Amino acid sequence: MSRSVYIAAAEGASVKSIVAFGVLDLLTRQVDRVGVFRPVAPSPESDVVLDLLLSHPAVRQDRTEAVGILYEQVHADPAAAHAEIVRRFAALSQRFDAVVVLGSDFTDVSSPGELDFNAQVAADLGAPVVLVVSGRGRAPDQIRLAAEISLSELAAQHAQPIAVIANRVEAEQAGAVREQLAGFRGLQTAVIPEVPLLVAPTVRALIEACDGTLLRGNPDWLDREALGFVVAAMSLPNVLTRLRPDSAVIAPGDRADLLPGLLLAHESGTFPNLSVIVLTGGYLPPQPIRTLIDGIEHDLPIVTAPHDTFQTATQLAGVRGRITAASPVKVETALRVFADAVDGPALLGAMNVAASTVVTPLMFQFRLIERARSARKRIVLPEGDDERILRATASLLRLGVADITLLGEENRLRASASRLGLDIGTATVVSPDDPELRTRFAAEYARLRAHKGVTIAQATERLGDVSYFGTMMVQLGLADGMVSGAAHTTAQTIKPAFEIIRTAAGTSIVSSVFLMCLADRVLVYGDCAVNPDPTAEQLADIAISSAATAARFGVDPRIAMLSYSTGASGDGADVEKVRRATDLVRRRRPDLPVDGPIQYDAAVDPAVAAAKAPGSAVAGRATVLIFPDLNTGNNTYKAVQRSAGAVAIGPVLQGLAKSVNDLSRGALVDDIVNTVAITAIQAQQTTTSDAG
């Protein structure tokens, strides 16, 4: 039977969905098959929190099997209800390595006894309990008292708690609450601060609450969140000074003069972007104003509400938001908040969940994000005016993957982000035309390229290329790594790195690998993007660099030096090159398991390996596959990617003294996020090496 963990709240409005989704995400990085179970649900069709958990991309489960029973069954026959819950859970758990059990939501089972009910069910299922206590409106000692009372209720029902998590704690009280919870010996404890976004209502919910009608704007923006309210009852200058990011502006409908000013502020990039403008009183803007705003390109929803300003503001203030699968902004923010607050490895240890030998593509990508987030680095993205880069930046910042610097003109970039509904507020924007930086960078570039006769004037002109500018930021320590190539060729991205950063000590060649995420494992392919026809010496260097890259990303390196023959079965110049390269690897790094020349099938298939290379420590279980030339490597990775449905992450550059990586010009937002995470992890290693 699988391991399981029960997420129970001490009371309502604790927003335990943050913890449940965070625990689920944590488990998906540890094991392959993770299931979700809701012992009791309000209805078989409507359950926002359950739907959120089932929406996780690593969960492959039908909704009907995730529900135990309904509340009405508990009321009708409690004993039979408990028996049915246990039966359904036992059947479900056979299919999964781990199951997250989602306790009830204090919506039907009588609230005073609801924690007792969840404790009984947890004991019946043998599932350890993660207790979630609300910190909303409570002092630190009150939070501890609430936890003590709840823990005693769990003990009375023989449920086994493993963790206490205080959620929705005021940020300034977080330290004091941690001290209070530290007294619970033998339990994992954590404090999650209140994050307004996670309880913010969507624009759609606000429109429904005030009986509003969408007058103008992009319907896709209706699922964005409103983080606060501004009642625009003053003159425009005074209203502008009170605007806050993603706020909903409530304005009297007969104050038509405010509307153009608010739209201009939203589009400007110099004022906070808004989430919606609500015009009260049932008034429509006069025709000249409507004609004017029709000429302004914007997506901001403009809504008319039939009620007066006071009633509308009261209605909107009472709307509560929830974390749902339809809000990727909330989901990513919740994951970051959970990861920042909770010691994931310790919690997994308390759950006693052993790591799976299977590594799926999603598991690998989640681990990349987790590794990058563990020691955040500064990554510069030179192509700040590309929409994909802006979208990736917003996601990276929400997930806490890295601190992002964008190159571009600040007002224009922030206005573009605002139009797209993206929050890049914490990103740094640097102009590549900044005269002070251009002068400093040009002087350094001219110094580095003096042997090529480069003058200051030539260097200044060269620094007008954003790839050169971004690379110089990395070289001079203003950034830890760079990712470019969404709008530039590979040559435009890596040539500046060759000229400025150069190779790492002990490495003679810059090369690349692709991290090939197959259905159940990750392989490392090199070199598939940089060197057309490496010599035997270069091939050995590529193999050693690729093994180091593999180890850096959690792949145990076993190197196969690929050729069209295995062992001594063939000859010729191409085979001899691979044979010499294999010998060089063995001499330079006797600690690395390596075999070659070897054919691909003998390298990865145990049955073929037994026939072609018996006794080899690598054959049949190779993880690092080194191709003899670019033609073979590039075509093979693409063939495997397309025919086997593998996820190809890369190219990942290796051999540089600092971290620079290239994107495909067809890169998707997820590709950019993955590449930034990889670059940040490489930068962590570079920083550690520099410190040593």
Side-chain angles (χ1 to χ4, degrees), residues 515-538:
L515 303 172
M516 302 297 294
C517 303
L518 305 180
D520 60 349
R521 55 188 159 155
V522 177
L523 300 178
V524 177
Y525 284 10
D527 175 5
C528 304
V530 178
N531 298 287
D533 189 16
T535 65
E537 292 73 16
Q538 291 172 331

Side-chain angles (χ1 to χ4, degrees), residues 363-393:
M363 287 171 68
F364 185 72
Q365 291 172 75
F366 293 157
R367 289 175 183 178
L368 287 181
I369 299 298
E370 185 177 40
R371 284 272 306 280
R373 191 161 46 198
S374 67
R376 287 173 61 161
K377 294 299 177 182
R378 302 162 299 164
I379 306 300
V380 59
L381 306 178
E383 301 155 318
D385 55 355
D386 189 293
E387 180 179 323
R388 293 166 296 167
I389 294 295
L390 291 174
R391 292 190 181 279
T393 296

Side-chain angles (χ1 to χ4, degrees), residues 206-281:
L206 295 181
I207 294 175
E208 293 174 356
C210 69
D211 304 314
T213 301
L214 182 65
L215 180 65
R216 294 282 192 282
N218 187 343
D220 292 340
W221 278 41
L222 301 186
D223 292 315
R224 293 181 62 214
E225 290 76 19
L227 298 186
F229 303 99
V230 175
V231 178
M234 302 178 182
S235 63
L236 181 62
N238 290 319
V239 171
L240 292 177
T241 62
R242 288 166 169 77
L243 296 181
R244 297 292 180 268
D246 295 308
S247 56
V249 178
I250 305 167
D254 57 357
R255 287 288 308 278
D257 57 306
L258 292 173
L259 191 54
L262 289 170
L263 280 177
L264 182 59
H266 173 75
E267 293 290 317
S268 68
T270 53
F271 282 92
N273 54 294
L274 307 177
S275 61
V276 62
I277 298 174
V278 181
L279 303 175
T280 63

Side-chain angles (χ1 to χ4, degrees), residues 316-384:
L316 299 187
V319 182
R320 178 191 167 207
R322 306 191 72 170
I323 304 172
T324 69
S327 175
V329 173
K330 281 186 176 178
V331 169
E332 289 180 347
T333 302
L335 289 176
R336 174 184 57 78
V337 169
F338 179 86
D340 288 345
V342 176
D343 184 341
L347 186 56
L348 284 172
M351 286 187 272
N352 195 23
V353 178
S356 172
T357 56
V358 170
V359 179
T360 68
L362 278 174
M363 287 171 68
F364 185 72
Q365 291 172 75
F366 293 157
R367 289 175 183 178
L368 287 181
I369 299 298
E370 185 177 40
R371 284 272 306 280
R373 191 161 46 198
S374 67
R376 287 173 61 161
K377 294 299 177 182
R378 302 162 299 164
I379 306 300
V380 59
L381 306 178
E383 301 155 318

